[in-house]
Every structure is written in C-alpha cells, then in structure tokens.
Amino acid sequence: MTYILLFISAIFVNNIVLSQFLGICPFLGVSKKVDTAIGMSAAVTFVMTLATLCTFLIQKFLLDPLAIGFLQTLVYILVIAALVQMVEIILKKVSPALYQSLGVFLPLITTNCTILGVAIMVIQKNFTLIESLVFAIATALGFALALILFAGMRERMSLTKLPKAMQGSPIALITAGLLAMAFMGFSGVV
C-alpha cells in the first residue's frame, strides 16, 4: 500500500514540475510538439530511473561508508552526465529522427534539475532502494504527464488565433499556471 500511495502522490499530488517547479526548462522548451514531448519524457524516465539507482547505490556503498557525503552533488552530476551521454549515443543509433527533434534539449537532460532533485530527495527522505525506484519512476511519469498534456495544449493553441501580445511565451506561461492549478485539485487525495 505504501508503494501505491508513493506512486500516486509523486505523479499527481507532488508533481515535480507543477508542484515543486523543478524541470521548468524542458517543460517550456520541449513542449511545442507532442511527439517531441513523448520522446523527451521517455529519455527523462530512462535517465531518472537509472540515475536514481546508480546514485542510491553510490551513496549507500561509497559515500556514506567513506564519510564523504559532501561530494554527493558532484558525484551525482557526473553520474547523470555519463547516463545522458549513453542515452544520446543510443538514440542517435536507434532513432535518428527523435535524436534530431530533441536537438539541444537532449544534452540539457544533464542539467535537468528534476533528475538531480529526485536523486537527492530519495536520500533526504531516507527511502529504501525499492521506494527510491518507485519514487523515481512515478516522478518521471508525473513529469511525462505534465509535459505531454502541456504539449497537447500548446499544439491546440497554435491552431487558434491569439492576440499578438499573447502569442508564444505569455500564453504558454498562463497555460502552465492553469495546468498547475488543475493539479492542485489532487492535493488531499493522498
């Protein structure tokens, strides 16, 4: 039951983008097309899950026993950068179209604060390995849900006639705010 509550909470109630405001850069930057948003979501899910697993093990079996926890952020960033490089190489070979559509945002996964944030949060919340992985997957799915919903809305808005002053970033930020308010409706559920 704990895992189910953790899963639902991470996706809907404590959505990493809409409640905790982590990962705003890819949220706003890659959300112009649903296809690109789906690709970015898959890449973030893969990297976040692997990064959480790797950083958890490094924390518990290297940093804590050697009492060098002060290196946590530096080590985590290096692990995340290595994983993103791996994803980039795989995507370039497996799906060149997706690799091209993600463009500059694929290397930006390295600096995506959601991935680093989740890796640090699981240690701060003293999760077990299973809880850490459930939290990472659920958080990535929450990120994906918010990103894909927002991309769908932005695609629909591109078909409508908007006042010149509202085109582009202004309407995107207003829409993001409304989406965040909609997700606030889930608070109190878990």
Side-chain angles (χ1 to χ4, degrees), residues 11-159:
I11 293 175
F12 298 109
V13 179
N14 298 318
N15 187 286
I16 197 86
V17 176
L18 302 174
S19 293
Q20 298 177 20
F21 306 112
L22 294 174
I24 298 296
C25 178
F27 180 70
L28 293 173
V30 187
S31 60
K32 292 181 181 165
K33 292 185 177 180
V34 173
D35 295 339
T36 308
I38 291 170
M40 177 61 106
S41 298
V44 166
T45 301
F46 180 73
V47 171
M48 188 178 293
T49 305
L50 274 181
T52 301
L53 175 65
C54 292
T55 55
F56 182 89
L57 295 174
I58 288 170
Q59 182 74 37
K60 296 299 179 186
F61 295 111
L62 183 68
L63 299 179
D64 286 348
L66 296 176
I68 53 173
F70 59 89
L71 292 174
Q72 180 187 53
T73 304
L74 179 64
V75 170
Y76 285 14
I77 289 171
L78 291 173
V79 168
I80 292 166
L83 288 171
V84 169
Q85 286 298 94
M86 184 180 75
V87 169
E88 192 170 356
I89 291 167
I90 291 170
L91 272 181
K92 196 172 191 177
K93 290 185 180 187
V94 173
S95 179
L98 179 58
Y99 176 78
Q100 287 294 326
S101 67
L102 288 175
V104 72
F105 293 103
L106 188 58
L108 284 178
I109 293 175
T110 305
T111 59
N112 187 343
C113 55
T114 60
I115 295 170
L116 180 61
V118 168
I120 291 172
M121 275 190 249
V122 298
I123 299 302
Q124 287 177 342
K125 294 181 180 192
N126 205 21
F127 284 156
T128 64
L129 180 60
I130 305 281
E131 288 173 334
S132 298
L133 291 175
V134 168
F135 182 74
I137 292 168
T139 301
L141 291 176
F143 177 82
L145 176 66
L147 185 63
I148 293 167
L149 283 173
F150 190 56
M153 287 188 234
R154 287 185 77 177
E155 274 189 1
R156 297 274 303 204
M157 284 188 297
S158 69
L159 301 174

